[in-house]
């Protein structure tokens, strides 16, 4: 495995820090902390570069909050300056790992993403009769920080870059408690080892791919199965259910060495023709649906948007932006009519006057969104 030294001058270069600041600002320029940073961007970056070069840089404390859809998750927001550092680091070291990743891992990679993963999944679902769906139980809270650091150091040999990587990893705030025992553990081992990466960091998303890279190669090269992964959500295909059940045992054994556990209920073999859930869709060999749970969530959101619009807390364009974001997801499924009916059921009204009326659009819901925008 090729490793790299002398990365530090590239990470701390003025050009790289400027690029990192621009990336950290994307889609966040209206936030007060970002605006404050941008007012003094040059002086902030000069001070940051000085701290990095002197070794005095220390990550700040995280701000945490929960999201509850589709399930409860702890989200950790790093201070804005730290996000600039995360981008500066990833700008340089992520390409070194990208060339090692298998082609069929899709999360947090340029030019890929959920819809590319969905298209690949559909191809396999049409070719094979069975799919083994794998889901790592509580993935981000379970990542072992020492194992992760060792994986990164196999490629990164530059000492100051290693020191920065460890500062970022070690500064991870406490995540959801996870206690699993593996071969060789004593009673206290799970409590002694540090685990958990904060969801929300640029570095965490990249590190999560590094952590499962060896697993990807194992499935594709040792088990020799058609396979793809999105974060901790994986799928392997075959015409033989017995082959996939044997593969499940091999996967579980491999992940145990990484101190990870597959979810008992979610990791199993399915018939492709029965439909399976993947990256927010229900996939059949001949069609793609939006899962009912997603439609129920949209219905709840629409009711909330209607209340907030009626009270003047949201404007029409605000609502349109949020709905259009969801529709960008739904348009990859065969669900235009169903989604249109759901949207038409929620007419936004303020002070007794409807914001828009259905005008018989050929595409249900299109007139609503057009007028709101």
């Amino acid at each position: 495995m090729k490793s790299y030294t002398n990365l530090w001058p590239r990470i701390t270069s003025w050009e790289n820090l400027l690029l990192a600041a621009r990336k950290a600002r994307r889609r966040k320029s209206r936030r007060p902390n970002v605006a404050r940073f941008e007012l003094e961007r040059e002086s902030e970056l000069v001070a940051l570069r000085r701290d990095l070069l002197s070794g005095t840089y220390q990550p700040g404390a995280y701000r945490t909050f929960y999201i509850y859809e589709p399930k409860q998750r702890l989200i950790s927001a790093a201070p804005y300056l730290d996000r600039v550092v995360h981008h500066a680091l990833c700008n340089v070291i992520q390409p070194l790992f990208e060339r090692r990743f298998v082609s069929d891992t899709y999360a947090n990679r340029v030019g890929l993403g959920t819809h590319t993963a969905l298209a690949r999944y559909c191809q396999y679902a049409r070719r094979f009769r069975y799919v083994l769906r794998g889901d790592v139980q509580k993935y981000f809270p379970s990542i072992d920080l020492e194992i992760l650091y060792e994986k990164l150091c196999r490629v990164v040999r530059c000492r100051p870059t290693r020191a920065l990587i460890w500062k970022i990893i070690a500064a991870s705030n406490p995540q959801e408690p996870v206690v699993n025992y593996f071969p060789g553990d004593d009673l206290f081992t799970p409590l002694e080892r540090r685990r958990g990466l904060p969801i929300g960091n640029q570095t965490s998303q990249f590190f999560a791919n590094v952590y499962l890279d060896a697993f990807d190669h194992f499935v594709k090269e040792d088990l020799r199965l058609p396979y793809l992964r999105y974060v901790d959500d994986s799928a392997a295909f075959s015409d033989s259910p017995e082959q996939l059940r044997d593969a499940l045992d091999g996967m579980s054994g491999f992940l145990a060495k990484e101190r990870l556990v597959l979810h008992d209920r979610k990791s199993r073999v399915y018939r492709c023709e029965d439909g399976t859930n993947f990256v927010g869709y229900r996939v059949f060999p001949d069609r793609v649906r939006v899962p009912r749970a997603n439609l129920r969530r949209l219905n709840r959101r629409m009711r909330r948007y209607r209340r907030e619009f009626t009270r003047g807390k949201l404007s029409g364009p605000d609502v349109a932006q949020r709905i259009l974001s969801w529709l960008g997801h739904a348009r990859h499924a065969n669900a235009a009519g169903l989604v249109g009916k759901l949207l038409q059921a929620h007419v936004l009204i303020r002070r007794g006057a409807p914001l828009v009326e259905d005008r018989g659009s050929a595409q249900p819901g299109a007139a609503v969104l057009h007028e709101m925008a």
Side-chain angles (χ1 to χ4, degrees):
M1 178 183 292
K2 186 176 180 180
S3 57
Y4 298 84
T5 59
N6 201 33
L7 301 173
W8 194 239
R10 292 169 56 192
I11 292 172
T12 57
S13 71
W14 181 251
E15 295 77 12
N16 186 49
L17 292 177
L18 276 175
L19 175 61
R22 287 198 295 269
K23 288 185 175 181
R25 187 185 61 199
R26 286 178 186 167
R27 296 185 294 275
K28 301 179 179 68
S29 58
R30 295 184 179 180
R31 297 182 182 179
N33 61 333
V34 180
R36 286 194 297 270
F37 180 90
E38 286 298 311
L39 283 174
E40 304 291 339
R41 182 178 62 180
E42 284 70 23
S43 59
E44 290 277 6
L45 291 180
V46 166
L48 173 60
R49 187 168 187 266
R50 182 180 62 243
D51 291 345
L52 288 169
L53 290 173
S54 65
T56 58
Y57 164 77
Q58 292 294 332
Y62 285 91
R63 177 178 61 86
T64 61
F65 57 93
Y66 284 94
I67 61 172
Y68 297 92
E69 291 185 0
K71 61 183 179 181
Q72 179 176 305
R73 288 181 180 175
L74 175 67
I75 304 299
S76 304
Y80 185 70
L81 191 66
D82 291 348
R83 281 180 256 168
V84 175
V85 174
H86 298 166
H87 280 283
L89 175 65
C90 289
N91 286 346
V92 175
I93 71 169
Q94 188 165 346
L96 311 180
F97 288 86
E98 281 284 338
R99 62 195 66 171
R100 292 168 165 74
F101 292 160
V102 301
S103 58
D104 278 321
T105 177
Y106 292 89
N108 309 305
R109 301 182 68 188
V110 176
L112 300 177
T114 56
H115 300 136
T116 312
L118 174 66
R120 185 65 160 164
Y121 190 101
C122 290
Q123 290 176 0
Y124 283 141
R126 287 191 289 267
R127 287 175 52 193
F128 297 97
R129 296 174 58 199
Y130 296 93
V131 57
L132 167 58
R133 295 285 287 104
D135 184 279
V136 177
Q137 187 177 45
K138 297 180 181 179
Y139 179 46
F140 278 86
S142 298
I143 290 175
D144 187 284
L145 301 188
E146 290 184 13
I147 294 176
L148 170 63
Y149 183 64
E150 290 171 4
K151 290 176 179 290
L152 292 161
C153 287
R154 290 171 194 163
V155 175
V156 176
R157 294 183 59 193
C158 175
R159 289 188 178 181
T161 304
R162 284 183 172 184
L164 177 61
I165 289 171
W166 180 248
K167 283 182 180 180
I168 293 172
I169 291 174
S172 299
N173 57 328
Q175 301 296 303
E176 180 182 358
V178 178
V179 179
N180 290 312
Y181 288 90
F182 300 95
D185 286 359
D186 60 31
L187 181 63
F188 300 103
T189 300
L191 304 177
E192 294 169 346
R193 300 187 69 93
R194 288 199 59 188
R195 299 176 309 280
L197 286 179
I199 298 175
N201 278 359
Q202 175 73 18
T203 47
S204 296
Q205 297 167 0
F206 163 56
F207 292 161
N209 274 342
V210 172
Y211 202 88
L212 283 179
D213 179 51
F215 176 71
D216 296 337
H217 285 277
F218 169 73
V219 177
K220 290 182 73 75
E221 297 164 11
D222 292 10
L223 299 181
R224 303 182 68 83
L225 289 171
Y227 163 87
L228 70 156
R229 176 175 64 83
Y230 189 89
V231 193
D232 62 323
D233 203 4
S234 64
F237 294 82
S238 175
D239 286 325
S240 168
E242 292 79 14
Q243 181 186 21
L244 293 179
R245 292 189 188 102
D246 291 342
L248 179 58
D249 292 336
M251 292 178 185
S252 297
F254 187 96
L255 289 174
K257 299 175 186 177
E258 310 284 357
R259 303 190 68 82
L260 297 174
V261 175
L262 285 173
H263 198 291
D264 284 340
R265 288 188 297 102
K266 297 180 181 178
S267 302
R268 47 171 291 200
V269 177
Y270 299 86
R271 294 195 308 173
C272 291
E273 66 180 284
D274 293 336
T276 47
N277 289 348
F278 187 68
V279 293
Y281 299 91
R282 183 78 175 173
V283 183
F284 298 84
D286 59 342
R287 64 195 185 280
V288 177
R289 299 294 191 194
V290 177
R292 293 179 180 177
N294 290 28
L295 292 172
R296 286 195 294 268
R297 284 196 293 272
L298 176 61
N299 199 27
R300 289 197 297 268
R301 288 178 190 172
M302 290 298 297
R303 287 198 296 267
R304 185 174 73 250
Y305 297 159
R306 185 168 59 185
R307 288 195 301 269
E308 293 179 355
F309 175 80
T310 302
R311 296 167 184 169
K313 294 182 178 180
L314 283 178
S315 67
D318 289 336
V319 177
Q321 183 178 9
R322 299 182 186 196
I323 298 173
L324 287 170
S325 175
W326 191 92
L327 289 181
H329 173 81
R331 70 183 179 87
H332 291 269
N334 309 107
L338 183 60
V339 172
K341 290 179 181 178
L342 193 152
L343 291 176
Q344 287 182 332
H346 294 279
V347 177
L348 303 185
I349 299 175
R350 181 181 293 165
R351 295 172 185 166
L355 176 66
V356 291
E357 296 177 358
D358 176 28
R359 299 177 182 175
S361 170
Q363 203 170 12
V368 176
L369 294 174
H370 174 75
E371 293 288 346
M372 286 198 300

